[in-house]
Amino acid sequence: MSTKLVKSMGSAGGTDAGLAGWLVVLALWTRFFLMVGVLKSIGMMIPLLQDQFDTSTWVLGWISSIIGTSSGISGIFSKLIGRRFRPGYAVMTCGVMISAAVIIASFATSPGHLACVFVVLLGTGFGISGVLMKEVIGRCFTTNYATATGIARTGDSAGLIVCAPLFQLFLDTYGWRGAMLLMGAISMHLVVCGALMVRAGPTSTYQELSEDDVISEPSQLPTSCDALSRNLSRNFEIQLLSDYRYWAAASVACCTKYAFNMWIIYFVSQAQSNGFSLEDATTFVTVAGVGGLLGRLAQGLLMDRKIIPLFPLMAITMTVCSASFCATPFLTSYWLMMTSSLMIATFSGALCCLQDVLCKQVLGVNLLAGAFGWRGITSATMDFSLGFIPGLIYDTTGSYTTAFIFLGSVQFIPMFPLLILRYNGWVE
């Protein structure tokens, strides 16, 4: 079989990319902005949808969490899509899917309709676009990888700052259906980012692959099961599933994502149950967004300037974040609640960037696409299995106290595999 020229995302080493790399950072920033904005919008609508559809809190919370499930499962196919198509075109398609999902959801008449739209379109669009862009950034940036990741992930913080008050304005003015239509229109910005990636061109370079790395044309598919098995193993990086380093890094990412996503979904309702108004809760979320932005930027400075090594920085952020989750349900003071939300968002923001740095440090750049894909599936399994628990605890006990203590415990669990990585010298 002759070798072919196929697209590959940059190089595994060398200097940082120029404008093309920063355009990918912009695209990933937009993707994070939209994902947090959509999740926060759904969280703010839980009381309204509960009355509209005559359903339980845990059902709506679980529907919100399965967005992550669909996102994780679809992410594993990103490597194949990245090999076959240009990343920009894939991102444009994902932007259309996300926008269409939010617009269609505005016409839903039952929780089942929401679940179907979120699984098929919304989660898939977020999953494929996220893995593709993170892998490109991993190859484009070497010395400033933590900084590039941190800047891209400030989209989370911007989403919290902007979308909470903006969506509240939409709700008050147009109702929940009109508000969802407007969020769908805003989501079309990801299509523009994909177009910029296509126009940039240099985000991908051509390299000649070896005989073993060739992507076969449909007419040249392997005829033996053994060859097919090797091809699937190579494309999906199945060997990662037997590597402890992957599972240790995945535990940090999955627990952090789960705890923070549940906080996004339930915090407004929890604050209201503590006696705060919806306007107060919106203010807390906005301030938290500022903290998340600072946390993401600060970790890039600390890591790339080699001020604090990765292990102690992750240990500090994990411990403070866990303690803040546990303390939140006991706070009735306005300023203490604001401080708690600020601490959670700041340290979760730093931790969500450090988990990508950890993945690259312990596994290497060549396994990033597979690691991000399998990490997404692992996280999706966790979201699917445990996403309903905080809502169920609230429905059972009538309080969010136990639910938030549970989230704090989940956030602290990765400390143990992280200690093993440090003991074996796999992380600085």
Side-chain angles (χ1 to χ4, degrees), residues 333-374:
S333 166
Y334 182 90
W335 293 107
L336 287 178
M337 180 64 86
M338 181 176 290
T339 301
S340 173
S341 60
L342 181 66
M343 296 286 281
I344 288 174
T346 300
F347 287 91
S348 291
L351 198 54
C352 74
C353 300
L354 293 173
Q355 68 192 24
D356 288 350
V357 178
L358 175 68
C359 198
K360 184 177 180 180
Q361 187 173 117
V362 300
L363 295 173
V365 68
N366 291 326
L367 294 176
L368 274 183
F372 288 148
W374 284 112

Side-chain angles (χ1 to χ4, degrees), residues 43-44 51 56 59 108 136 144-145 194 243 248 263 323 332 347 374 381 406:
M44 293 176 68
D51 294 335
S56 302
V59 173
V136 172
N144 292 308
Y145 178 61
D243 192 331
W263 181 83
T332 55
F347 287 91
W374 284 112
T381 302
F406 168 73

Side-chain angles (χ1 to χ4, degrees), residues 4-231:
K4 290 177 176 285
L5 288 176
V6 299
K7 281 207 168 172
S8 118
M9 312 295 138
S11 60
T15 59
D16 290 344
L19 176 62
W22 289 109
L23 285 176
V24 184
V25 172
L26 173 64
L28 187 57
W29 183 95
T30 304
R31 183 259 186 192
F32 281 123
F33 177 92
L34 294 175
M35 188 164 191
V36 169
V38 171
L39 283 175
K40 174 49 63 180
S41 301
I42 295 170
M44 293 176 68
M45 291 192 305
I46 283 180
L48 295 174
L49 295 178
Q50 193 173 356
D51 294 335
Q52 179 80 28
F53 297 144
D54 191 23
T55 187
S56 302
T57 304
W58 74 267
V59 173
L60 295 173
W62 181 75
I63 289 174
S64 302
S65 71
I66 62 175
I67 296 174
T69 305
S70 174
S71 174
I73 293 174
S74 61
I76 194 62
F77 299 100
S78 299
K79 187 172 183 178
L80 289 175
I81 294 173
R83 284 183 171 187
R84 182 64 66 177
F85 305 103
R86 295 180 66 179
Y89 289 122
V91 171
M92 289 176 67
T93 303
C94 290
V96 173
M97 293 171 64
I98 292 168
S99 179
V102 179
I103 292 173
I104 293 172
S106 68
F107 298 97
T109 57
S110 71
H113 293 165
L114 290 177
C116 291
V117 172
F118 289 164
V119 168
V120 176
L121 294 177
L122 192 64
T124 302
F126 280 131
I128 293 175
S129 62
V131 172
L132 274 177
M133 289 185 285
K134 284 190 286 186
E135 199 251 354
V136 172
I137 289 175
R139 293 186 179 275
C140 286
F141 293 90
T142 303
T143 58
N144 292 308
Y145 178 61
T147 300
T149 300
I151 292 174
R153 285 186 176 271
T154 57
D156 285 345
S157 304
L160 287 176
I161 295 170
V162 175
C163 290
L166 182 63
F167 195 76
Q168 183 62 50
L169 175 63
F170 290 165
L171 283 176
D172 294 339
T173 307
Y174 304 106
W176 74 268
R177 295 187 186 276
M180 290 292 282
L181 283 172
L182 290 171
M183 282 300 298
I186 293 172
S187 300
M188 287 297 290
H189 283 80
L190 189 59
V191 179
V192 178
C193 291
L196 289 174
M197 290 174 60
V198 172
R199 186 66 180 266
T203 54
S204 295
T205 57
Y206 286 94
Q207 70 177 25
E208 189 165 338
L209 298 181
S210 64
E211 191 76 21
D212 291 335
D213 289 332
V214 171
I215 302 175
S216 302
E217 297 293 336
S219 60
Q220 299 172 320
L221 290 174
T223 56
S224 82
C225 293
D226 184 57
L228 178 60
S229 176
R230 288 197 304 270
N231 195 35

Side-chain angles (χ1 to χ4, degrees), residues 376-397:
I377 288 185
T378 307
S379 178
T381 302
M382 185 172 181
D383 288 345
F384 183 83
S385 303
L386 306 180
F388 68 94
I389 289 182
L392 181 61
I393 292 174
Y394 174 76
D395 288 338
T396 303
T397 64

